[in-house]
Amino acid sequence: MEKIFLEIPTINRKQEALDYLVESVKYNSDLNGTGSMDRCLEGVTYEEWLLELEKREDIEYLNQINRCKSKTFFVVREDDNRIVGMINVRYNISDDKLKTWASHIGYGIRPSERRKGYAKIALYLGLLEEQKLGEERILLECTVDNIGSNKTLLALGGILVREEIDPSDGELTKIYHFDVDDCIKNYKELYKNIITNSEDKMKKSI
């Protein structure tokens, strides 16, 4: 399989990022892990979205909008430099927010690149980022009827904690617990030749 790396969004990826959104709409696909880039479908410009990502590094601003700290990345295939997915990694989430259905990682793969194993790779890259940020145990959620996502979470070592109705949408949802260090250790050999995890690849598009 081709090598995969995470990339910080920049203006140089504007058209590719917007194409990513258009493709998701074309296939009537949910947009997950975009760090609110889907708002570009509602009139927000890509440039405004980039500014929003910068603002979300300010704790005072985050408190104003009732959000936790997070980082958003494009999931990029090295061979052709194509965005195959997106991932949003959240950290320092308060216990109160976790009780109200906050989860640590949101991720999505563009419709034309699904069923190629990229979802598992994206989640593994997300776990690596959580480890860098000092998170030891994290929670992820997934609706019961999203069979593919449930399989991905289980495949990467997720442990089902409970099933509950998510009050925000009324969906029956599964909540999984991950021990970050253990999951990374257990799957390191599997993914070490697939991901490009060096800091020089965690880069801005140039």
Side-chain angles (χ1 to χ4, degrees):
M1 180 177 286
E2 307 91 346
K3 288 185 177 294
I4 303 295
F5 64 93
L6 296 183
E7 180 180 285
I8 300 169
T10 66
I11 191 62
N12 295 314
R13 285 282 193 184
K14 178 179 179 178
Q15 191 55 55
E16 295 169 73
L18 295 178
D19 289 345
Y20 180 94
L21 292 179
V22 170
E23 180 180 314
S24 297
V25 172
K26 176 182 177 181
Y27 285 86
N28 194 30
S29 175
D30 290 337
L31 282 160
N32 299 312
T34 66
S36 298
M37 190 178 74
D38 49 293
R39 292 174 61 206
C40 292
L41 297 169
E42 303 169 354
V44 174
T45 68
Y46 183 79
E47 290 82 358
E48 288 171 335
W49 174 66
L50 291 178
L51 289 174
E52 176 71 11
L53 292 185
E54 292 183 10
K55 289 170 66 176
R56 290 192 181 189
E57 297 178 7
D58 184 333
I59 190 64
E60 291 186 6
Y61 176 71
L62 290 172
N63 288 336
Q64 291 174 12
I65 64 174
N66 195 30
R67 295 294 185 100
C68 59
K69 290 185 176 182
S70 66
K71 294 186 177 186
T72 301
F73 302 99
F74 295 131
V75 181
V76 181
R77 183 168 55 211
E78 188 173 77
D79 285 357
D80 58 2
N81 203 34
R82 176 176 168 82
I83 298 173
V84 298
M86 291 189 70
I87 188 164
N88 181 253
V89 178
R90 303 146 197 154
Y91 58 108
N92 290 353
I93 306 177
S94 68
D95 289 340
D96 288 341
K97 281 189 170 61
L98 286 174
K99 290 176 182 177
T100 57
W101 297 88
S103 60
H104 285 84
I105 299 175
Y107 64 95
I109 303 299
R110 66 191 308 158
S112 62
E113 299 291 351
R114 291 176 183 167
R115 298 186 179 181
K116 298 180 181 180
Y118 292 140
K120 294 175 185 176
I121 298 170
L123 180 54
Y124 183 77
L125 285 166
L127 290 170
L128 289 174
E129 287 304 304
E130 294 286 3
Q131 186 182 59
K132 292 177 187 177
L133 294 165
E135 298 290 339
E136 297 178 352
R137 294 175 178 81
I138 64 173
L139 292 176
L140 275 78
E141 63 182 59
C142 178
T143 57
V144 170
D145 61 359
N146 191 336
I147 297 173
S149 187
N150 279 288
K151 287 182 177 179
T152 297
L153 299 182
L154 289 170
L156 266 293
I159 299 173
L160 181 62
V161 177
R162 63 185 185 274
E163 291 185 8
E164 292 181 4
I165 298 294
D166 185 339
S168 68
D169 56 18
E171 295 277 357
L172 182 60
T173 301
K174 293 185 176 184
I175 296 90
Y176 293 89
H177 164 268
F178 288 77
D179 185 299
V180 175
D181 289 344
D182 283 350
C183 290
I184 290 173
K185 180 174 62 177
N186 290 340
Y187 295 90
K188 182 177 181 179
E189 287 299 313
L190 180 62
Y191 291 116
K192 70 177 183 179
N193 294 321
I194 296 174
I195 65 171
T196 301
N197 190 43
S198 59
E199 292 300 321
D200 63 328
K201 280 295 183 183
M202 185 69 69
K203 63 185 179 181
K204 293 184 179 181
S205 176
I206 57 175

